[in-house]
Amino acid sequence: MQNAPLNRQQLITELLTQGVQVINPQQQHASRHGGAGPSDHQAMNIDGVTVMVPVYTHSAHRSPWQVKHEESGTTRLYNQSIPVREIGVTRKPRFYERQTAEGIPYSQIATLHGTDVLATTVLQTCIRYENRAKACQFCAIGQSLAAGSTIARKTPQQLAEVAKAAVELDGVKHMVMTTGTPSGSDRGARILVESAEAIKAAVNLPLQGQCEPPGDPRWFQRLKDAGIDTLGMHLEAVTPEVRARIMPGKAQVSVEQYLIAFADAVAVFGRGQVSTYILAGLGDTPQAILTLSEKLIALGVYPFVVPFVPISGTPLEHHAAPDSAFMTSILQPLGQMLNQANLRSRDIKAGCGRCGACSSLSSFEQAMA
Ligand code: SF4
């Protein structure tokens, strides 16, 4: 039981780290199992903020937080059976009802994240994932493919068709395209270029591309010219030992190489339009994350720090999620640093930093503003 009411950022941090048990799941709600990005989650609206809350993870099954859909039509959050507040749950988008001319459901090509973000993994295979011992231990990219809930390669035409429908039917506001890493030295930039060109020809939708740092920095300009508005290159962890343990393949590209790539990318995309994703709770200390974040902010890179969520079926499925005190010890000073640098999520044109639903970081930014 809670001793004192939690403020908004405390409550969101609690839900993101502990997850929620959904007592009576509803067919009409959007949730997802497996895949890259936020898996095993349901998008919920807490006091006007969209949050991707873990619902299918091991920790969610043990969480003191529960959600019940009541007969009156309201959805209520409980803590150990004590009602806390009414919340909203994102409904399945209308574009999920459609399929391509070849019969591929649109939901296998792209999915709704939060309430207004279209997200896709353009290439659902990854050189890092071919050998599970070398793969990122937290990643579930192969699971949704094995389960048949997605397809291995989304063509530019398929992405353009789904993006147009998602804008027209559901009003999506921006799109995230991530990719498994192919074997070429472009590290995924080439397929992001082809995809962005097709999407932008079909619909005016701000785009974020996410890939590992391409071997040749000229790819940054090609990505921008193709219509990518913001770029994400995700460090995942910041300390060399933690990176080598958690993601032995991806750690071959060092933090120093990322920093060089970030500087090159900011020169093309602009300050605040390049970001990175850092998973807190895998072994990095708060100080290590904050020290690197300071460097990133100085470069003009938005460090999107999210609590690690152990996804079912991955080698880390039983790894503990960080607690809310640990996350607050990072996000509170980080929110302050971002405010002081005038580098804010709301100014990002597209992507995870702008969406913010996997972290309470933007709530800490707002609380400090
Ligand atoms: S923050 Fe990124 S990964 Fe998380 S829900 Fe938003 S778009 Fe998806």
Side-chain angles (χ1 to χ4, degrees):
M1 188 165 59
Q2 300 300 303
N3 294 323
L6 301 174
N7 65 29
R8 186 172 69 178
Q9 68 260 38
Q10 288 170 328
L11 176 60
I12 293 173
T13 310
E14 285 273 325
L15 299 178
L16 282 167
T17 51
Q18 300 192 42
V20 166
Q21 300 178 53
V22 181
I23 302 303
N24 47 351
Q26 308 287 295
Q27 277 296 323
Q28 71 270 28
H29 292 147
S31 61
R32 70 186 291 254
H33 258 310
S39 305
D40 297 358
H41 287 65
Q42 181 141 56
M44 299 183 188
N45 186 298
I46 315 288
D47 287 353
V49 177
T50 304
V51 187
M52 286 297 257
V53 181
V55 293
Y56 298 121
T57 59
H58 289 287
S59 48
H61 294 307
R62 295 190 302 267
S63 173
W65 299 97
Q66 298 165 329
V67 159
K68 273 189 209 156
H69 304 293
E70 297 172 349
E71 276 180 23
S72 60
T74 56
T75 301
R76 204 170 299 281
L77 178 69
Y78 290 77
N79 184 283
Q80 294 180 348
S81 305
I82 297 169
V84 175
R85 70 183 70 191
E86 199 180 315
I87 61 160
V89 178
T90 303
R91 297 177 71 84
K92 267 190 193 145
R94 284 192 283 171
F95 78 86
Y96 279 16
E97 291 158 17
R98 296 227 174 148
Q99 57 179 32
T100 64
E102 317 89 77
I104 301 168
Y106 280 9
S107 60
Q108 294 192 5
I109 294 166
T111 55
L112 186 73
H113 280 201
T115 51
D116 60 4
V117 190
L118 185 67
T120 186
T121 303
V122 184
L123 181 67
Q124 199 82 27
T125 56
C126 181
I127 47 161
R128 312 289 186 208
Y129 202 88
E130 281 165 8
N131 175 351
R132 205 60 180 100
K134 291 226 156 176
C136 303
Q137 306 283 292
F138 49 79
C139 184
I141 195 169
Q143 281 172 224
S144 40
L145 186 59
S149 57
T150 188
I151 55 174
R153 171 78 160 93
K154 289 82 176 177
T155 67
Q157 292 67 34
Q158 288 168 341
L159 291 169
E161 183 177 330
V162 176
K164 191 163 185 292
V167 169
E168 289 171 356
L169 297 175
D170 298 287
V172 305
K173 298 283 190 306
H174 55 122
M175 180 169 181
V176 176
M177 289 192 292
T178 192
T179 179
T181 303
S183 56
S185 66
D186 64 282
R187 299 207 176 101
R190 186 182 303 277
I191 58 169
L192 293 179
V193 163
E194 293 163 3
S195 307
E197 282 171 346
I199 294 165
K200 281 285 167 96
V203 62
N204 183 17
L205 184 64
L207 297 180
Q208 181 179 57
Q210 301 178 346
C211 61
E212 291 192 38
D216 182 342
R218 282 178 295 185
W219 277 108
F220 295 129
Q221 191 60 53
R222 290 178 199 147
L223 286 159
K224 178 103 166 72
D225 293 344
I228 300 275
D229 298 283
T230 74
L231 186 70
M233 294 185 287
H234 295 172
L235 284 161
E236 324 286 6
V238 304
T239 315
E241 307 80 73
V242 177
R243 300 184 87 237
R245 173 167 52 82
I246 299 289
M247 38 186 231
K250 194 171 172 182
Q252 286 163 9
V253 184
S254 67
V255 173
E256 288 67 34
Q257 288 169 286
Y258 269 82
L259 291 173
I260 293 167
F262 285 135
D264 290 337
V266 171
V268 173
F269 289 93
R271 188 172 178 276
Q273 304 305 334
V274 177
S275 60
T276 193
Y277 210 95
I278 296 172
L279 298 164
L282 290 173
D284 290 317
T285 62
Q287 197 49 52
I289 292 175
L290 288 168
T291 302
L292 188 67
S293 295
E294 209 171 354
K295 278 189 199 166
L296 293 166
I297 293 170
L299 284 172
V301 175
Y302 185 88
F304 187 50
V305 178
V306 308
F308 162 67
V309 176
I311 303 301
S312 311
T314 65
L316 293 182
E317 67 178 341
H318 296 295
H319 190 291
D323 63 22
S324 58
F326 180 87
M327 288 311 299
T328 303
S329 74
I330 299 169
L331 299 181
Q332 201 155 40
L334 182 56
Q336 205 158 11
M337 282 157 61
L338 288 164
N339 268 317
Q340 278 167 359
N342 205 16
L343 204 67
R344 300 213 173 87
S345 59
R346 62 169 182 256
D347 297 325
I348 302 174
K349 292 177 198 157
C352 290
R354 164 147 180 201
C355 162
C358 287
S359 174
S360 47
L361 178 56
S362 62
S363 296
F364 280 98
E365 275 175 49
Q366 287 161 21
M368 303 282 163

